[in-house]
Amino acid sequence: MSYVNPPNFKQAMASLAGTIDATFGESIRIIPCTSRPNFPTEAHEDKAVIVQGVFTAKPELVMRSNSIAHKGAEPAALVESRVPIFSFARAQLPWAINRGDRIQRSCDGSQYEITRIEADVTSQRITCHVVELGVMSQ
């Protein structure tokens, strides 16, 4: 008998995904979008689905440099930023999620656009790295 990979390991990990969503999750709306070169993305609001997912804003240190180079300008500094990430169970989606699709939080209505998708085969979850829409960058 293998203690490293028991026979019901994948089933246990799939049930763990549901437990994570139930414990830490919130209601999020996923809106499929069509993107074309040189045109803005077209959202298909009528095909949107509501799923239970987890939102995290992971802190990150980034280097900020002064864009105006003149005598006496302040040197580059480390600034704390945040990286918004959504994760949810893959079984909740009726279609394959794509880069450019949008995610909307139900609690405050903020919208995000998906920039990168990572699938976790073990726990049957999808992790989406996103950028917030409608917020000016600093």
Side-chain angles (χ1 to χ4, degrees), residues 65-130:
S65 61
N66 197 350
S67 61
I68 302 172
H70 65 288
K71 195 172 192 173
E74 69 180 71
L78 288 175
V79 178
E80 189 171 335
S81 181
R82 67 184 181 104
V83 179
I85 297 172
F86 286 92
S87 69
F88 43 87
R90 186 181 338 158
Q92 297 183 65
L93 289 178
W95 70 84
I97 196 162
N98 296 311
R99 192 174 61 110
D101 289 351
R102 295 182 182 171
I103 297 177
Q104 182 178 17
R105 292 181 71 190
S106 298
C107 64
D108 62 0
S110 57
Q111 277 199 2
Y112 300 84
E113 185 172 324
I114 299 172
T115 57
R116 191 173 82 220
I117 302 164
E118 296 173 354
D120 184 3
V121 180
T122 306
S123 66
Q124 305 296 316
R125 294 185 68 77
I126 295 176
T127 301
C128 297
H129 296 263
V130 296

Side-chain angles (χ1 to χ4, degrees), residues 32-49:
C33 296
T34 303
S35 59
R36 299 178 302 171
N38 301 327
F39 289 96
T41 58
E42 180 185 345
H44 303 289
E45 298 280 344
D46 56 331
K47 296 180 182 176
V49 294

